[in-house]
Amino acid sequence: MNAIRTARQRARDELTREIKAEARRQVVAEGPQRLSLRSIARDLGMASSAIYRYFPSRDDLLTALIIDAYDSLGAAVEDVESHVPRENIRARWQALCAGARSWARQHNHEYALIYGSPVPGYRAPEDTIAPASRVAGVLGQLLADGWQAEVLRPVRAPSLRPELAEQARHVATVIAPGVPPEVLAQALIAWTQLFGMVSFELFGHLVGSADPADEFFDHAVECMADVMGLPPA
Amino acid sequence: MNAIRTARQRARDELTREIKAEARRQVVAEGPQRLSLRSIARDLGMASSAIYRYFPSRDDLLTALIIDAYDSLGAAVEDVESHVPRENIRARWQALCAGARSWARQHNHEYALIYGSPVPGYRAPEDTIAPASRVAGVLGQLLADGWQAEVLRPVRAPSLRPELAEQARHVATVIAPGVPPEVLAQALIAWTQLFGMVSFELFGHLVGSADPADEFFDHAVECMADVMGLPPA
DNA sequence: TCTCCTTCGAGATCACTGCTCACGTTCATG
DNA sequence: CATGAACGTGAGCAGTGATCTCGAAGGAGA
């Protein structure tokens, strides 16, 4: 709150950053499994017990990295998508997908951290939902824009059962105001499809089939755009 | 090769089974992270070093569990799907999806083992592709049957670029002989969508949106059936 | 300025882990 | 029957996350 911070607090913030930086280095290099508090302490020239002044446990440090990773992914997607003309809804969706995939391929282990198996017993979702919904927000905005501009074609799909309609309505109010639940349900499908594909590619489940996944990815992105009713071109 | 096995070999097989069983028990109870060779040895009343006579490392034991999990999932899906009339292609697809999801929900940690982040540095895929493709085979057979019976409607989708067409053709020869690459590309999409959804549900990425995921899952399954061109009803 | 309380880092320690090795034993086979 | 491979044991190595005590340092109020 106070802009002026004591020397102690500045040192604390800096060390917290350094610990996270070193931890991220280790995760990037060798994966979340190999992250070791002791080796972080060694590299930072401090006692291993000192780390616990900054992070109460290894899992908490990992959770901090998870939040950062969500944020980094969100920023990357936002950046890529923002360079596309606002009126070209389909191109914005393509950019979103390409941005997400590209970030994932460049940050292999960090992607696994957030979209792989949940590492700790169970991590508190409260701190993660905000940064996690960042890229969801991009999709929502894109849909809202398209809906307002009346370029979204109504999709031909099975009608929603009541609970799903309610869920979709709720998501719409949070992320894409004005967009009808039918469209949002399709967006949810595209959503899971996108990350399902990226996960399959990164985790090696496409080796026997669509191994260089570029064309498959592009193809699926177009299909998903159609599923959501995005206008062509 | 010889049907008659020595007492030593019988003991070895039995112990191998017991080690795996205890390991699976631990993974089911506490997740792959907590799997400990020493505690397995304790529970089996043997020295920890003895485990290494049966599995050269912890990762090898995990790999064995992964293969078993693939097999278990494959068997479950095959079983569910086989109880559906062969001519009802869409119902077979629905059964496949429901079977996979139900298995995943019942075998949370084992699902994470195979479709979560790859645990070891890198596991040899050679031993895993056979059991992994088991449930893919079910989908392939279903498509092949539908194609032969001429009930698969040609799908309206972007035409395949050459490499993807080649990949789809190759997958078709292995898994769904006779099925054209266009259909198989759509099946690949449905494939990644299915496991993307299940992963999202199990890993908690749907909490804010489609939390009881039943209706969303069913809805997506229908959409995917349409995307593949499966006949209605 | 001086005191007192909080914060911090160091080091020892605990209870684990995966893994290796030398050692005797047990079994199967030439 | 003898010999070599397979087996189980226990000690030991190197490493881990986490806890605790203790002395040093910082910061705020008197």
Side-chain angles (χ1 to χ4, degrees):
Chain A
M1 5 202 99
N2 210 341
I4 197 135
R5 296 173 313 162
T6 88
R8 185 164 246 170
Q9 201 140 13
R10 274 195 303 133
R12 169 168 255 280
D13 290 357
E14 186 157 342
L15 243 180
T16 307
R17 253 203 321 278
E18 279 182 36
I19 292 173
K20 278 209 293 192
E22 176 58 30
R24 182 162 22 249
R25 246 184 33 90
Q26 290 195 9
V27 166
V28 165
E30 315 204 58
Q33 306 288 327
R34 306 256 186 184
L35 176 69
S36 142
L37 294 189
R38 294 183 108 105
S39 85
I40 293 175
R42 267 195 301 274
D43 276 26
L44 263 56
M46 64 200 312
S48 67
S49 54
I51 305 274
Y52 290 87
R53 301 278 184 203
Y54 299 86
F55 294 94
S57 80
R58 199 193 100 115
D59 283 354
D60 287 85
L61 177 51
L62 266 180
T63 303
L65 291 185
I66 289 176
I67 295 175
D68 283 8
Y70 270 126
D71 237 30
S72 167
L73 168 61
V77 168
E78 281 173 10
D79 179 59
V80 170
E81 196 261 357
S82 70
H83 285 79
V84 175
R86 307 326 284 148
E87 70 278 6
N88 195 340
I89 305 296
R90 184 177 280 250
R92 285 167 69 183
W93 161 249
Q94 291 165 339
L96 188 164
C97 293
R101 174 170 182 244
S102 146
W103 185 92
R105 285 159 59 99
Q106 279 167 9
H107 304 76
N108 209 308
H109 286 131
E110 280 163 285
Y111 179 86
L113 206 53
I114 55 185
Y115 285 112
S117 5
V119 204
Y122 197 62
R123 84 184 101 124
E126 313 123 31
D127 304 331
T128 63
I129 51 167
S133 59
R134 229 173 125 168
V135 26
V138 176
L139 177 55
Q141 190 58 50
L142 170 170
L143 291 175
D145 289 355
W147 182 256
Q148 191 153 22
E150 297 181 11
V151 292
L152 249 65
R153 293 179 301 181
V155 288
R156 220 164 31 80
S159 63
L160 308 184
R161 281 165 56 197
E163 192 183 33
L164 176 55
E166 189 46 52
Q167 292 167 340
R169 227 184 309 273
H170 175 251
V171 175
T173 64
V174 177
I175 247 175
V179 176
E182 285 77 15
V183 173
L184 224 123
Q186 300 309 104
L188 257 172
I189 292 183
W191 184 250
T192 54
Q193 163 75 22
L194 169 59
F195 287 101
M197 250 186 326
V198 173
S199 294
F200 259 44
E201 180 183 6
L202 257 65
F203 298 164
H205 292 291
L206 293 181
V207 278
S209 42
D211 192 6
D214 304 73
E215 293 191 359
F216 171 60
F217 187 84
D218 292 346
H219 180 74
V221 167
E222 295 308 319
C223 289
M224 287 305 110
D226 293 340
V227 161
M228 285 188 288
L230 301 193
Chain B
M1 1 201 104
N2 211 341
I4 197 131
R5 296 173 313 163
T6 87
R8 187 163 244 171
Q9 200 138 13
R10 273 194 304 131
R12 168 168 254 277
D13 291 356
E14 186 158 341
L15 242 180
T16 307
R17 253 202 322 277
E18 279 183 37
I19 292 174
K20 278 210 293 192
E22 177 58 30
R24 182 164 19 250
R25 244 184 34 93
Q26 291 195 8
V27 166
V28 165
E30 314 206 60
Q33 307 288 326
R34 308 256 184 182
L35 176 69
S36 142
L37 294 189
R38 291 182 108 106
S39 85
I40 293 174
R42 269 196 300 274
D43 276 28
L44 264 55
M46 63 200 314
S48 68
S49 50
I51 305 274
Y52 291 86
R53 302 278 182 202
Y54 298 85
F55 295 93
S57 80
R58 199 192 101 114
D59 282 354
D60 288 86
L61 177 51
L62 266 181
T63 303
L65 290 187
I66 289 175
I67 294 176
D68 283 7
Y70 271 126
D71 238 28
S72 167
L73 168 62
V77 169
E78 281 173 11
D79 179 57
V80 170
E81 197 263 355
S82 70
H83 285 78
V84 176
R86 307 328 281 149
E87 69 278 9
N88 194 341
I89 304 296
R90 183 176 281 251
R92 285 168 69 182
W93 162 249
Q94 291 164 341
L96 188 165
C97 294
R101 175 170 182 244
S102 145
W103 184 92
R105 286 159 60 99
Q106 279 167 10
H107 302 75
N108 210 307
H109 285 130
E110 281 163 284
Y111 179 86
L113 206 55
I114 55 185
Y115 284 111
S117 4
V119 205
Y122 198 63
R123 84 185 99 122
E126 312 124 30
D127 303 333
T128 62
I129 51 169
S133 57
R134 230 174 123 168
V135 26
V138 175
L139 176 55
Q141 190 58 49
L142 172 167
L143 291 174
D145 290 354
W147 183 256
Q148 191 153 24
E150 296 180 9
V151 291
L152 250 64
R153 293 178 302 182
V155 287
R156 222 164 30 81
S159 64
L160 308 185
R161 283 165 56 198
E163 192 183 32
L164 176 56
E166 188 45 53
Q167 292 167 341
R169 228 185 307 274
H170 175 252
V171 175
T173 64
V174 176
I175 249 176
V179 175
E182 285 78 15
V183 173
L184 225 124
Q186 300 310 102
L188 257 172
I189 292 183
W191 184 248
T192 54
Q193 163 74 22
L194 169 60
F195 287 100
M197 251 185 326
V198 172
S199 294
F200 260 44
E201 181 183 6
L202 256 65
F203 298 164
H205 293 290
L206 293 182
V207 279
S209 42
D211 191 6
D214 305 70
E215 293 190 0
F216 170 61
F217 186 84
D218 291 346
H219 179 75
V221 167
E222 295 308 317
C223 288
M224 287 305 111
D226 293 340
V227 161
M228 286 188 289
L230 300 193

